[in-house]
Amino acid sequence: MIRVFGFLAVVCVALSVVLAFTAFRYERTDRTQPISGFGKVETLKSPIRAGEALPVRIWREKARGDCPVVSERTAISQDGVVYDLPDAEWSGGSADDPYLDYRYPTLPFMPEGEYQLRVDLNYTCPGGLLFKYTQPPAFFRIAT
C-alpha cells in the first residue's frame, strides 16, 4: 500500500512539473500580431504585359519580423474571371519600413483588360501562432 502511495506521489510531482513548464512556456509566448494595420496598396507600373511581374508598394504597420508569411494570390478580371497566381512563402519584409515594394507574378495567358489583385496572408509566428490578413486590393491593367 505504501508503494502505491509513493508511486502516485511521484506521478503527481512529475505531472506538476510538466504542467508548470507548459504554463511558463505558454505565458512567455509573444502574441503580438505581425501586422497592426494596412494603409494602401499602390500599383507602381500599369499597364504590364501578361506574364510580367506586377510591382506594387504595400503600406502597412508591421510590429514584428520573426513570422514567415505565405501569400495566396488571385487576379480577378473585369469580367469576373478568377486567375490563381503562384503562391509564395517568404520572410515578409522588415518591420522597420513603413512600406514594402513587392513584385507579384502574373500568368502568361491572361488576356488584355483590367484586373484586381487580391492577396491573403498567413503569418506563422513562433509558438505555432497563426495570423491571417487580407491585403487591400491593387488594380492593374494588362496590355500588349
Side-chain angles (χ1 to χ4, degrees):
M1 191 63 136
I2 293 177
R3 286 185 183 181
V4 172
F5 286 123
F7 175 74
L8 290 176
V10 169
V11 168
C12 287
V13 168
L15 287 175
S16 297
V17 168
V18 168
L19 183 62
F21 177 74
T22 303
F24 179 74
R25 193 168 144 216
Y26 177 80
E27 187 61 34
R28 292 191 41 102
T29 301
D30 185 0
R31 289 177 190 72
T32 305
Q33 293 194 18
I35 303 289
S36 58
F38 282 100
K40 63 180 179 175
V41 176
E42 178 183 354
T43 303
L44 298 178
K45 178 185 174 191
S46 183
I48 61 170
R49 292 187 178 152
E52 284 184 351
L54 174 68
V56 298
R57 178 164 288 165
I58 305 155
W59 296 87
R60 85 283 194 256
E61 296 173 17
K62 189 166 184 188
R64 57 190 290 189
D66 62 340
C67 306
V69 62
V70 174
S71 60
E72 299 168 357
R73 306 130 176 208
T74 56
I76 302 169
S77 73
Q78 61 195 12
D79 301 325
V81 178
V82 177
Y83 295 89
D84 286 326
L85 303 177
D87 298 339
E89 181 176 352
W90 60 298
S91 66
S94 171
D96 297 330
D97 299 326
Y99 63 86
L100 169 71
D101 287 338
Y102 197 78
R103 298 173 57 84
Y104 289 102
T106 62
L107 303 174
F109 55 83
M110 293 172 71
E112 289 186 20
E114 303 289 327
Y115 289 86
Q116 181 184 65
L117 174 69
R118 293 189 185 168
V119 180
D120 292 319
L121 304 169
N122 298 308
Y123 284 85
T124 305
C125 296
L129 298 174
L130 180 66
F131 297 95
K132 297 182 178 213
Y133 305 94
T134 298
Q135 183 175 290
F139 298 93
F140 66 101
R141 189 164 60 92
I142 291 186
T144 55

